[in-house]
Amino acid sequence: MAAHRKPRQRPRPAARTAATLTLAGAASATAFQGVGHTEPRLTPAQVKTQVDKLYQEAEAATEKYDGAKEKAAASEKSLRSLRDQAARRTAQLNTARSALGSTASAQYRNGAIDPSLQVFLSSDPAQYLDRAAYVERVGDQQAAEVTGVRRQIGQLAQLHSEADTALSGLRTQQADLKKQKTTVQSKIRAAEALLSRLSAPERSRYESQYESQQESQPESQQDPLGNDRSAAPQAADRSAVRGPVTAPGSRAARAVAFAYSALGKPYVWGATGPSSFDCSGLTQAAYRSAGVSLPRTTYTQINSGQRVNRSELAPGDLVFFFSGISHVGIYVGNGQMIHAPHPGAPVRLAPIDQMPFAGATRPVAGT
């Protein structure tokens, strides 16, 4: 039967060539489709909008990172304290146990004779009774020591339980810290990737946008206490229309002076100075220089003093932005603040109407 089968025909060279060209053409078309499917070209304005949004989101994550870092540090300190206490209590407990063991061993060596027999065996019953009263007092002392040891065991167990709870909380906070750090880094990388798509002149214009806004303000507004009265206030900012402003006290003035001294220092997320800052790190450091302790994050700093209306702002007040309270600056008068904007933008002077205003707080008043 095999002899009657029709022999298989090998493909002709021309057919093989046609098939090869067809496959190659399909592969090339697929490859060119992939290459041709590039991201659309964004205008500089669109890049700016997206980058600003990414930086704002990165700063919100930075504030959460700062909060998680502060909580983790507090938990770590608490855990160390609990472990130190547990070590001291363990040493005390071991000493008390050793003392009880020595007493018990002495009683065993001397033998425990029934007190009623000891009266009859004693050559001097009166002297025996005196000794018996002493022994009874010693017994009461031993009972108190046993009670003390039991109490120390309970306290030590409580300390170990608290340490375990603190350790569990610390691990949770460290996980949150890692999560927020990853979020910050990814947002910053995305912003940098977008900026890399700009031409050199476009990138330069983007990076100089804040400087141009600053330079457009009257030079007299550089005075931290508003001593130069010749500048006309900005109509866009109602806080400036009430005329000259002064710091409400010496501490606020020192905080403002610190902010001015920080101008030009780089923004580094998570930094609190002295060589770099993030936004809340700058305001915290400014008031720390004035002897005032502020909490670490924007969403806690806003509750750290007396709330003030925008029309009542004075130098030294903290001004907050965005609905999530994710950015803060220190007001210096005439509608201006000093703040740490975002990575790549150093500490600088800027108008407070540059961002969506969310509220203001006066950490100190009249001091």
Side-chain angles (χ1 to χ4, degrees):
M1 294 178 63
H4 295 291
R5 288 180 180 168
K6 191 174 183 178
R8 295 177 61 187
Q9 292 183 353
R10 295 183 178 179
R12 293 189 301 275
R16 282 202 305 268
T17 303
T20 303
L21 289 173
T22 302
L23 290 172
S28 299
T30 303
F32 280 119
Q33 274 187 344
V35 172
H37 188 63
T38 56
E39 295 183 19
R41 171 75 177 172
L42 298 177
T43 67
Q46 290 172 324
V47 170
K48 178 187 180 304
T49 298
Q50 291 190 26
V51 168
D52 288 348
K53 184 174 184 294
L54 284 166
Y55 277 143
Q56 197 268 316
E57 291 172 349
E59 194 162 45
T62 296
E63 291 304 308
K64 291 180 181 178
Y65 169 87
D66 291 341
K69 186 177 180 180
E70 188 175 47
K71 288 178 182 178
S75 293
E76 195 169 359
K77 182 179 179 181
S78 174
L79 182 60
R80 285 197 303 269
S81 176
L82 288 168
R83 285 175 171 169
D84 288 345
Q85 289 182 55
R88 288 195 298 271
R89 290 291 174 86
T90 299
Q92 292 170 2
L93 178 59
N94 289 338
T95 300
R97 279 174 167 168
S98 178
L100 282 175
S102 298
T103 302
S105 298
Q107 288 178 344
Y108 178 78
R109 286 194 302 270
N110 294 334
I113 302 177
D114 185 85
S116 60
L117 292 177
Q118 291 186 31
V119 172
F120 292 107
L121 295 174
S122 176
S123 59
D124 186 350
Q127 186 180 12
Y128 166 76
L129 291 173
D130 289 341
R131 286 201 305 270
Y134 172 76
V135 169
E136 185 177 357
R137 289 196 299 274
V138 171
D140 291 342
Q141 182 180 350
Q142 280 186 288
E145 289 174 354
V146 169
T147 300
V149 167
R150 286 174 177 165
R151 184 175 62 252
Q152 288 180 53
I153 290 173
Q155 291 171 342
L156 187 58
Q158 177 65 26
L159 282 172
H160 281 303
S161 176
E162 291 176 8
D164 288 343
T165 301
L167 180 59
S168 177
L170 177 59
R171 285 173 176 165
T172 299
Q173 289 154 4
Q174 287 173 333
D176 188 34
L177 194 63
K178 184 178 180 180
K179 176 185 173 183
Q180 298 304 333
K181 181 178 181 179
T182 300
T183 301
V184 173
Q185 291 174 328
S186 66
K187 297 290 185 184
I188 292 174
R189 281 196 298 268
E192 290 171 346
L194 276 172
L195 287 172
S196 69
R197 296 166 64 178
L198 295 177
S199 66
E202 290 169 344
R203 179 71 178 264
S204 178
R205 281 195 296 273
Y206 173 83
E207 290 174 349
S208 65
Q209 64 176 311
Y210 294 101
E211 284 87 346
S212 62
Q213 288 171 331
Q214 176 181 332
E215 289 166 3
S216 67
Q217 306 305 318
E219 185 65 26
S220 62
Q221 293 184 7
Q222 303 294 317
D223 188 336
L225 295 182
N227 293 323
D228 187 335
R229 314 304 192 210
S230 62
Q234 294 181 42
D237 180 18
R238 288 173 299 171
S239 65
V241 298
R242 59 192 179 85
V245 287
T246 56
S250 59
R251 289 185 179 180
R254 287 200 296 274
V256 169
F258 179 95
Y260 270 90
S261 72
L263 286 172
K265 292 186 176 180
Y267 177 104
V268 174
W269 64 274
T272 58
S275 58
S276 58
F277 304 90
D278 64 17
C279 69
S280 57
L282 173 63
T283 50
Q284 185 186 53
Y287 267 99
R288 184 170 58 241
S289 74
V292 178
S293 177
L294 290 182
R296 179 64 183 92
T297 62
T298 52
Y299 49 85
T300 51
Q301 286 183 5
I302 196 171
N303 296 316
S304 64
Q306 174 190 349
R307 291 290 188 93
V308 291
N309 295 326
R310 181 167 174 163
S311 60
E312 299 169 341
L313 288 174
D317 291 347
L318 303 183
V319 282
F320 300 88
F321 304 90
F322 303 104
S323 59
I325 318 298
S326 59
H327 190 73
V328 62
I330 183 165
Y331 187 71
V332 294
N334 292 313
Q336 299 285 292
M337 67 175 172
I338 292 175
H339 71 140
H342 56 72
V347 176
R348 57 184 41 152
L349 191 73
I352 64 170
D353 57 2
Q354 189 178 82
M355 293 173 284
F357 186 82
T361 293
R362 184 166 298 160
V364 292
T367 57

